[in-house]
Every structure is written in C-alpha cells, then in structure tokens.
C-alpha cells in the first residue's frame, strides 16, 4: 500500500512540516471502558487498492474509494461476497474525469455521490457508472471543499474554509444558501492568525444523521469533537481535549502537535470517531511505521465519552453497522485492506 500521509499533505507542505517545533506531550481523552477488538480479513481478489480511504455500505453493495488510483477512484463490490462489479470515477483531465476525489457518500435513495476537490464539483452516479448522472459545480465563493454530506434531498453540508464560518449549506445549483457556526478556537477574536490559515488548521471530517439532525465534526489535528443540531441550528457540545497546534508560514497553517481524527460516523445512539494520535515529532523522526489509527472513540450524542475500541489493525476509514454490531475498516498497511471487527 502506498504511504505518504496524504490526508495531511492535502493542506500542508512537507518541507515546512519537517521544520516544526517539537510537540509537547499531551494527555489524551479518558474513556472508562477500553475494549480490544481483533479483526478478520475480508479478502478482495479482483482489485488492487493503493490507498483505500473511504467505504460505504448500502444493503448488498459496498463501495471503496482509493486516494491514489491507477485508473479509478471508486469501486463497487457485492457484499458480503466482495465480487467486483464496477470501477468508476476515472482519474484524468477529461470533463467527466476526477483529479482529486475526497469522499463518497450514499444518499437516502442509495444514489452514490462523490466530491472532486480540484474541480470543485459534486457528482452523482444514479444511472450506472460509465458516466456521471448529475454534476454540480460549487460556488466560486467556496475555498477548496474537502468534505460533504447531505442535509436533505435538496441541500448539501460542506465545511467552510474561509475561516469566517464553520459550515456552508449548498443547494443543488451549487450556491451557498446559509452559513452557520464559528470555528471553536480559543480567543479566536483576539488572535492574529489569518482566517484561512485557521480554517486549514481546523480542517475536520464530518458526518450527519438526518434522523435526529446531529452533525459531528472531528479535527484532523489535535483532539476535538464538535456536535451541532442542524435542525435547530444550535451547538450541542464542543468536546475539546487538545486544540489543533500549528504555526503560520507564508499564510498557511503548518501542523504541530498530534494527528487527530480521520473519520467519523453519527449513529442512532452514539458517535464513532477514528483516532490516530501520532505526534508530528515522531513522524518526522521515523518512529511511526504505519498509517492510520487503531482507536475507535465512542461518544454519546451529547459528547460524553463512552468506550474506546482498540483495534489490532491501523485503519484510515471505517463503516459501522449498529444493528449487526460490526465495524468494517480499511487497513492501508496491508495488501488485503478490508478488516471486519465484531463488538458487543
């Protein structure tokens, strides 16, 4: 599997990263229950994945997105047989090709949507996978969008990278219809940090559950969980154990401290987040020999820490099946990356 900490370098420069100051030791979030989970390998025989990053399961279908594809970013498999059905989201310069896929999601109708950050577009594949069914070009006022989810059938949720707001709501014409919340950084009004650099440092991964209206955001740097009620447009909780640490050079935020979360899922009763916890000092010194995290943090919907699942593999992305009580994870360090973890 290809290494390189790609999700970090999406926003930050390698050379400057290696010049960061030594990170101080931090006390991590406390969970009363810590449970070890052993995974089993679910073989994929038809497709080689270089950097599997996101997976989505919808009924008898499983979709996996590869960040470093040779030809296609996304692959469709029958589940649980893992028989390959389709490869799509072709990498390339052509109008229907993708230059930088950041995420894939299934809407409530089972239609797959994807995001191309470089081309600033959202694309659906409801009529097969040879050509996109619908392409939405995003508003020019948006700074390079790196994640998305669905508020409802007509509105997308995307993080704001201007630093002025936390979330943008986008219609199906790609236009901004609302902007809500603020970056929950300490003393943000007094800081001299450029807003765009602050937004870079606070880059977070998102997930929304339309049933109860809860949006969760987890920080890529440090250890912060943000919980918002989008139906009432209110903040439920900011669970802040360690804010993102960074320095500013050339108007950009350069990471310091620790790698935080890389994926999050809002279930019916709990929020699940994948935590890495590597310090950038250890990364710089070559002490980190794997990519991904092996801790799934489980919170109540109001942000109370409940359980920490310690996995025997390091994964980059995951899927939770709360009904059947299993986790599917993507181990980028293995030639057979799909792992299944059962929990009680």
């Amino acid at each position: 599997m290809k290494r390189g900490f790609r999700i970090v370098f999406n926003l930050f420069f390698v050379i400057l990263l290696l010049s960061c100051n030594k990170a101080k030791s931090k006390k991590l979030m406390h969970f009363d229950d810590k449970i070890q989970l052993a995974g089993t390998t679910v073989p994929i025989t038809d497709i080689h994945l270089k950097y599997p990053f996101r997976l989505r399961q919808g009924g008898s279908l499983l979709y996996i997105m590869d960040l470093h594809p040779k030809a296609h970013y996304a692959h469709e498999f029958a589940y649980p047989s893992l028989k390959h059905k389709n490869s799509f989201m072709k990498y390339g310069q052509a109008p229907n090709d993708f230059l930088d896929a950041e995420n894939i999601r299934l809407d409530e109708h089972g239609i797959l949507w994807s995001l191309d950050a470089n081309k600033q577009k959202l694309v659906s594949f409801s009529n097969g996978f040879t050509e996109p069914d619908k392409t939405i070009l995003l508003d020019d006022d948006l700074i390079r969008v790196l994640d998305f989810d669905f508020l409802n059938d007509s509105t997308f949720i995307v993080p704001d990278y201007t630093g002025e707001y936390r979330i943008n709501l986008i219609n199906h014409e790609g236009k901004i219809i609302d902007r809500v919340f603020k970056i929950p950084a300490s003393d943000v009004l007094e800081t001299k940090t450029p807003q765009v650099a602050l937004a870079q440092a606070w880059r977070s991964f998102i997930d929304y559950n339309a049933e109860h209206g809860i949006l969760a955001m987890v920080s890529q740097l440090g250890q912060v969980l943000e919980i918002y009620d989008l139906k009432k447009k209110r903040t439920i909780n900011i669970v802040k154990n360690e804010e993102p640490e960074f320095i500013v050079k050339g108007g950009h935020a350069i990471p310091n401290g620790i790698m935080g979360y890389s994926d999050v899922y809002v279930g019916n009763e709990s929020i699940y987040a994948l935590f890495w916890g590597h310090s950038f000092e250890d990364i710089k010194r070559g002490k980190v020999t794997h990519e991904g995290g092996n801790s799934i943090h489980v919170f109540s919907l109001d942000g109370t820490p409940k359980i920490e699942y310690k996995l025997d593999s390091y994964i980059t992305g995951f899927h939770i099946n709360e009904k059947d009580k299993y986790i599917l994870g993507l181990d980028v360090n293995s030639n057979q990356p799909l792992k299944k973890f059962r929990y009680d």
Side-chain angles (χ1 to χ4, degrees):
M1 294 296 166
K2 185 169 182 177
R3 298 175 185 268
F5 291 93
R6 158 78 189 288
I7 60 174
V8 179
F9 300 155
N10 227 345
L11 296 177
F12 310 112
F13 298 104
V14 180
I15 295 175
L16 291 177
L17 168 63
L18 298 181
S19 69
C20 290
N21 297 325
K22 186 174 181 179
K24 295 179 290 185
S25 176
K26 295 292 183 179
K27 182 180 179 180
L28 300 180
M29 195 173 295
H30 175 73
F31 292 83
D32 288 333
D33 292 330
K34 294 187 177 183
I35 300 173
Q36 301 285 332
L37 296 182
T40 58
T41 298
V42 184
I44 297 175
T45 59
D46 299 329
I47 293 292
H48 173 69
L49 301 168
K50 294 178 67 178
Y51 199 113
F53 183 58
R54 286 290 181 260
L55 73 164
R56 307 293 175 195
Q57 184 183 352
S60 61
L61 296 173
L62 184 75
Y63 301 91
I64 298 179
M65 193 190 85
D66 190 341
L67 274 185
H68 297 291
K70 289 184 177 180
H72 297 90
Y73 278 103
H75 308 277
E76 181 190 41
F77 301 89
Y79 188 80
S81 71
L82 269 296
K83 181 180 179 181
H84 178 250
K85 295 174 68 67
N86 289 292
S87 293
F88 57 104
M89 294 171 58
K90 184 181 177 182
Y91 173 74
Q93 297 279 353
N96 287 331
D97 291 350
F98 286 74
L99 283 176
D100 184 17
E102 291 291 336
N103 208 343
I104 55 173
R105 292 191 186 270
L106 296 170
D107 67 16
E108 62 180 345
H109 306 293
I111 296 171
L112 187 136
W113 288 78
S114 58
L115 167 67
D116 187 326
N118 279 7
K119 291 188 175 182
Q120 284 287 81
K121 66 180 183 180
L122 288 164
V123 178
S124 70
F125 291 88
S126 60
N127 292 327
F129 296 97
T130 55
E131 298 290 342
D133 175 58
K134 185 173 184 179
T135 297
I136 298 172
L137 298 179
L138 297 175
D139 198 305
D140 290 339
D141 288 339
L142 294 166
I143 292 179
R144 197 167 185 269
V145 175
L146 297 172
D147 204 354
F148 77 103
D149 206 342
F150 312 101
L151 181 69
N152 50 45
D153 275 348
S154 61
T155 308
F156 299 99
I157 306 163
V158 301
D160 181 86
Y161 296 102
T162 67
E164 296 183 37
Y165 300 93
R166 201 67 180 114
I167 290 295
N168 295 301
L169 301 181
I170 309 296
N171 64 19
H172 274 226
E173 284 70 52
K175 302 301 181 182
I176 301 170
I177 59 174
D178 201 1
R179 289 173 161 174
V180 292
F181 310 123
K182 299 289 184 180
I183 295 173
S186 300
D187 302 322
V188 66
L189 296 179
E190 287 75 28
T191 185
K192 295 182 180 180
T193 303
Q195 286 183 311
V196 171
L198 187 69
Q200 288 177 345
W202 277 80
R203 188 259 175 103
S204 296
F205 301 96
I206 70 173
D207 196 57
Y208 179 68
N209 188 314
E211 291 297 317
H212 42 53
I214 289 179
L215 171 74
M217 304 183 71
V218 290
S219 61
Q220 185 181 27
L221 304 180
Q223 195 175 20
V224 182
L225 165 66
E226 303 165 54
I227 308 173
Y228 301 105
D229 182 341
L230 284 189
K231 289 184 176 180
K232 298 180 180 179
K233 294 184 180 179
R234 66 183 182 94
T235 301
I236 296 175
N237 198 359
I238 306 296
V239 184
K240 188 187 296 184
N241 189 65
E242 177 185 346
E243 288 197 19
E245 291 187 15
F246 62 100
I247 58 177
V248 179
K249 289 187 177 182
H252 295 277
I254 309 304
N256 206 355
I258 63 170
M259 283 279 288
Y261 295 99
S262 70
D263 204 0
V264 61
Y265 175 80
V266 181
N268 293 324
E269 297 181 357
S270 300
I271 297 169
Y272 307 80
L274 172 60
F275 185 68
W276 292 35
H278 313 321
S279 75
F280 283 96
E281 181 67 16
D282 285 346
I283 295 171
K284 180 179 70 173
R285 294 178 180 274
K287 293 182 179 181
V288 179
T289 59
H290 49 261
E291 292 200 44
N294 69 336
S295 294
I296 301 286
H297 291 173
V298 185
F299 303 86
S300 66
L301 295 180
D302 65 3
T304 302
K306 295 168 61 178
I307 301 170
E308 181 179 19
Y309 290 121
K310 296 293 291 185
L311 312 180
D312 65 353
S313 299
Y314 288 85
I315 63 175
T316 54
F318 70 96
H319 166 80
I320 296 280
N321 187 312
E322 288 185 308
K323 178 182 177 182
D324 296 326
K325 296 187 181 301
Y326 65 82
I327 303 167
L328 291 177
L330 294 171
D331 181 358
V332 73
N333 308 283
S334 171
N335 288 325
Q336 285 294 336
L338 189 60
K339 312 293 182 182
K340 188 172 186 177
F341 306 87
R342 292 199 173 274
Y343 65 93
D344 294 326

